[in-house]
Amino acid sequence: MIKRIFFLTIISFLYACQEKKKPQFDEEAYIKQVEKEKKEVITQVELSPKIDEEMVKQGEMIFVSKCTLCHQIETKAIGPKLKGVTERRKPEWIMNMMLDPDRMIKEDSIAKNLTKEYPSPMTNQNLTKEEARALLEYLRTQK
């Protein structure tokens, strides 16, 4: 009896410790998509007068995970405060800055001037267009 319990315990332990197959993240495809979108300049962003609450939730999660090291809503940090940014900047500008800050810093006068006030240039977070759009929707709620 004790041998059976010991044997079943060992089998259970081995089964629990085996590596579970996780869905594979195709990093190469993701990077290709991000690179493609970086080359694309956003010239028009359609904003509904009504805030998309689901997109706001997604945008807030992205903000917390990728932006809060340098940006705060209410106060300046390494980067500018973001409260009211959608009232100061056009949505196309915000999207382009999030998707390709390196190009914006080279080509856009507002972005260039921000590097004078904030000496650490914005880091490219490799957002997809969908992630940037969700982040924009979240920023629309921060007035």
Side-chain angles (χ1 to χ4, degrees), residues 37-62:
E37 291 176 358
K38 277 172 55 174
K39 294 174 185 165
E40 181 182 333
V41 175
I42 305 297
T43 57
Q44 186 174 3
V45 178
E46 296 290 330
L47 297 178
S48 169
K50 186 175 188 266
I51 297 290
D52 181 329
E53 293 300 328
E54 189 58 37
M55 202 181 284
V56 169
K57 289 177 190 173
Q58 293 170 356
E60 184 175 18
M61 289 189 324
I62 294 165

Side-chain angles (χ1 to χ4, degrees), residues 1 6 17 25 38 43 68 88 92 96 108 116 138:
M1 178 73 169
F6 179 74
C17 291
F25 174 69
K38 277 172 55 174
T43 57
T68 54
R88 295 189 306 273
E92 295 81 8
N96 283 307
D108 182 81
K116 294 174 185 170
Y138 169 69

Side-chain angles (χ1 to χ4, degrees), residues 43-136:
T43 57
Q44 186 174 3
V45 178
E46 296 290 330
L47 297 178
S48 169
K50 186 175 188 266
I51 297 290
D52 181 329
E53 293 300 328
E54 189 58 37
M55 202 181 284
V56 169
K57 289 177 190 173
Q58 293 170 356
E60 184 175 18
M61 289 189 324
I62 294 165
F63 180 77
V64 168
S65 68
K66 295 192 175 198
C67 306
T68 54
L69 183 62
C70 298
H71 293 281
Q72 300 297 313
I73 298 297
E74 299 283 339
T75 58
K76 291 181 180 182
I78 293 171
K81 71 177 182 177
L82 295 178
K83 183 176 185 168
V85 69
T86 58
E87 296 168 340
R88 295 189 306 273
R89 306 279 184 261
K90 292 181 179 180
E92 295 81 8
W93 188 92
I94 296 169
M95 290 282 292
N96 283 307
M97 192 66 181
M98 289 188 286
L99 291 170
D100 197 354
D102 300 326
R103 179 182 50 77
M104 288 291 285
I105 290 167
K106 289 177 188 170
E107 299 175 6
D108 182 81
S109 62
I110 296 170
K112 283 179 188 177
N113 286 336
L114 285 170
T115 62
K116 294 174 185 170
E117 187 175 350
Y118 301 93
S120 181
M122 184 164 159
T123 303
N124 190 333
Q125 296 296 317
N126 294 313
L127 299 172
T128 64
K129 197 184 303 182
E130 290 77 22
E131 290 171 325
R133 179 62 186 85
L135 189 50
L136 175 62

